[in-house]
Amino acid sequence: MAGERVDNYIEGRRAAASGTEVRPVFNPALGEPVREVALSSCEDVDQAAAAASQAAGIWRSMAAAERCEIIGKFRQLLDERQNAMAATVVEEHGKTTRQARAEVVRALEVVGYCLESKFQARQAGNPSVDSGSMPVSETLIEPVGVVAGITPFNFPVLVPLWMIAPALALGNAFILKPAVANPSASLLLAELLGEAGLPDGVFNVVQGDRETAQALIAHPRIDAVSFVGSSQAARQVYSQAGAAGKRVQAAGSAKNHMVVMPDADLEAVAETLVEAAYSTAGQRCMAVSVAVPVGDNTADALVELVADKVRGLQIGAGSSEGVQMGPLISAARRERVEEMIAAGVKEGARLVVDGRQVKAPAGCEKGFFVGGTLFDQVGPEMSIYNEEIFGPVLSVVRVEELAQACNLINRHQYAKAASIFTGDADVASGFARRVQVGLVGINVALPVPKDYRSFGGWRASRFGVSLLYGPRGVDFFTRVKTVTSRRRV
């Protein structure tokens, strides 16, 4: 097995995991291991939880301005080393260099928001006004304590910082369990936080799989759990963490629809749709995986335009010049995507572009590639419509009118995002009111809100009431204490 071993990070330093199982970490473009990661044992989780619990008291007692100074230094260091961080993402995830850099820049924005005065003001509470002998009340906003974050492979910098940045800024200690497939970014984050002056033990990393996650969820010293992953796993995390008496936020799967009205600029829409569906090989919860053109004339023209663009996508290693789409994260994911394509054909959808036929470039013959795939004439009863594929597969579902499109969206089990492309403001505003999803785009394919708004879906795309980052992040990572007192007796 090639390369170094990816360690844990506990109490301010790298620490070898004591588990007996070791997994390879692949460069998915080459299909070869570049390093290895040992899975953590329950003892490793105990060690991280003890370090975080002890450090939490020190961290929360520091003034908010002191904490912000350290986090600001961390942001500066991440900014200075964003190229190195992006290169790590490219190597272990397979994203293109442009996509990886965009992820790091977005992560910097998240950290920056947590340093702004309007974010900090939300933890100030509601001070009392002394009214003589009458009892008065005041609200204190305090950190939850120790937070565990369990994150997916698709955004190894951004999604952890969705959790880490607000949690630390609000005075919590944190334990991160990143995905096994691409763990190295977590250690880079840990070392930058340490270099910025974060006290030892406030931030820890435990490498591991589902058993490690279970140990974190059950651990008595962990007060809250933040999770992003599939809905099946999110439902389990929400149930188990809740049963253990912990605060929990759990974001799950998606099947995002993009409605295209007859008045839309179809050439521009097709360009946007290809980027939204196939960027990062479709491995993101905000990817558009269903296009819903209204009317057959719209559908015919859109499918032709998209098919031409998909056939022209440049596939290869993310570090190579001109590459537009990299590989899938693993051989298992490639197999899953290919199985779903076969299922779509069997169920009667029209396969317009078959990504299984893509030829990897020289040097990447063993890489985990599936090309952009386009289905037309997809029905709502088909598995390729109902299931999250998490790969470069776009399904076109034709409808005759907008009401049908809205009904499709509102009946789907997943309700993260939906968008519409139209030049009619009344149609757009009516769509925004009618669709029952967490995030709506108007002439925006990927309606990911900026940091001063929060992120989350409805139905089986999210469990619990808590949203990710933004103002609601304050609510999740803090708890309220109300003090009632009489100043004079």
Side-chain angles (χ1 to χ4, degrees):
M1 192 174 296
E4 63 183 327
R5 177 170 293 191
V6 182
D7 293 325
N8 290 339
Y9 187 91
I10 298 175
E11 210 165 4
R13 60 185 180 276
R14 290 195 182 210
S18 63
T20 57
E21 186 176 355
V22 176
R23 299 269 183 91
V25 177
F26 282 86
N27 179 325
L30 303 178
E32 297 176 348
V34 290
R35 52 189 59 90
E36 61 185 18
V37 57
L39 307 189
S40 297
S41 65
C42 289
E43 289 74 19
D44 297 322
V45 172
D46 282 339
Q47 185 181 359
S53 182
Q54 182 174 357
I58 299 170
W59 183 240
R60 69 181 293 173
S61 66
M62 293 175 64
E66 291 182 82
R67 295 200 299 264
C68 282
E69 184 177 352
I70 292 171
I71 294 169
K73 178 62 175 175
F74 162 74
R75 186 186 185 282
Q76 177 187 338
L77 292 170
L78 180 58
D79 188 19
E80 292 171 355
R81 300 174 197 178
Q82 60 177 283
N83 288 342
M85 181 69 82
T88 298
V89 174
V90 170
E91 182 183 34
E92 291 187 356
H93 178 284
K95 290 182 182 182
T96 67
T97 298
R98 179 183 65 84
Q99 292 160 359
R101 286 176 176 166
E103 177 183 349
V104 179
V105 169
R106 184 73 180 85
L108 286 165
E109 292 174 357
V110 171
V111 180
Y113 170 73
C114 295
L115 299 172
E116 292 180 6
S117 58
K118 58 187 173 184
F119 179 90
Q120 295 299 323
R122 289 180 62 88
Q123 60 177 312
N126 179 23
S128 304
V129 176
D130 193 337
S131 57
S133 61
M134 295 295 292
V136 294
S137 295
E138 60 182 327
T139 299
L140 306 179
I141 308 298
E142 299 186 350
V144 172
V146 178
V147 179
I150 302 169
T151 57
F153 72 85
N154 58 332
F155 285 91
V157 180
L158 177 58
V159 172
L161 282 173
W162 275 358
M163 306 170 185
I164 296 164
L168 295 186
L170 295 165
N172 298 280
F174 199 94
I175 303 171
L176 173 65
K177 193 212 79 65
V180 177
N182 50 354
S184 295
S186 65
L187 285 186
L188 294 178
L189 290 174
E191 289 169 348
L192 292 180
L193 283 165
E195 187 175 341
L198 191 74
D200 293 348
V202 175
F203 180 74
N204 306 274
V205 178
V206 288
Q207 310 291 351
D209 60 1
R210 185 176 302 176
E211 291 185 8
T212 309
Q214 294 288 340
L216 287 167
I217 291 167
H219 203 284
R221 286 187 168 179
I222 292 173
D223 303 291
V225 177
S226 182
F227 174 87
V228 175
S230 72
S231 286
Q232 181 182 8
R235 184 181 286 110
Q236 293 174 349
V237 170
Y238 180 72
S239 175
Q240 293 169 4
K246 303 180 191 303
R247 183 173 297 193
V248 57
Q249 57 181 189
S253 305
K255 199 74 176 182
N256 304 317
H257 297 65
M258 188 173 118
V259 178
V260 183
M261 299 301 293
D263 68 330
D265 179 344
L266 293 186
E267 176 62 41
V269 167
E271 191 74 34
T272 299
L273 180 54
V274 169
E275 172 70 18
Y278 302 106
S279 180
T280 70
Q283 298 174 117
R284 57 181 177 182
C285 68
M286 289 300 293
V288 172
S289 49
V290 182
V292 189
V294 177
D296 280 336
N297 290 338
T298 307
D300 290 343
L302 183 65
V303 168
E304 182 178 354
L305 287 167
V306 171
D308 285 344
K309 295 179 186 301
V310 173
R311 293 187 184 103
L313 285 173
Q314 296 299 306
I315 310 297
S319 57
S320 299
E321 191 71 27
V323 167
Q324 296 167 283
M325 192 175 85
L328 294 165
I329 188 68
S330 67
R333 176 127 303 275
R334 178 182 60 191
E335 183 178 353
R336 153 76 174 169
V337 171
E338 290 177 342
E339 287 174 351
M340 292 302 298
I341 295 171
V345 173
K346 184 177 181 180
E347 292 170 348
R350 184 169 76 91
L351 184 56
V352 180
V353 182
D354 188 350
R356 297 171 297 180
Q357 298 175 353
V358 71
K359 184 177 180 181
C364 296
E365 292 85 358
K366 295 190 291 184
F368 310 135
F369 291 94
V370 173
T373 298
L374 176 64
F375 278 103
D376 190 12
Q377 304 289 352
V378 175
E381 74 286 352
M382 296 180 182
S383 61
I384 56 170
Y385 174 75
N386 285 297
E387 297 181 29
E388 183 183 49
I389 300 174
F390 222 63
V393 180
L394 176 65
S395 297
V396 175
V397 180
R398 298 177 176 229
V399 297
E400 296 178 1
E401 56 186 22
L402 179 59
Q404 289 178 274
C406 292
N407 288 337
L408 270 175
I409 295 166
N410 293 344
R411 287 198 302 264
H412 204 284
Q413 63 175 324
Y414 301 131
K416 185 152 288 179
S419 59
I420 187 169
F421 278 72
T422 179
D424 190 318
D426 290 336
V427 168
S429 61
F431 174 83
R433 290 192 301 271
R434 184 167 181 178
V435 290
Q436 298 169 12
V437 298
L439 304 163
V440 178
I442 307 298
N443 296 320
V444 175
L446 304 175
V448 180
K450 298 298 286 184
D451 310 300
Y452 45 80
R453 304 290 182 193
S454 295
F455 177 96
W458 292 9
R459 297 194 290 279
S461 290
R462 176 169 60 92
F463 299 88
V465 299
S466 181
L467 301 177
L468 290 162
Y469 70 81
R472 298 296 181 90
V474 177
D475 298 335
F476 180 74
F477 294 112
T478 58
R479 52 188 176 185
V480 174
K481 179 187 290 180
T482 302
V483 179
T484 301
S485 60
R486 180 175 281 121
R487 303 296 185 182
R488 299 171 186 167
V489 295

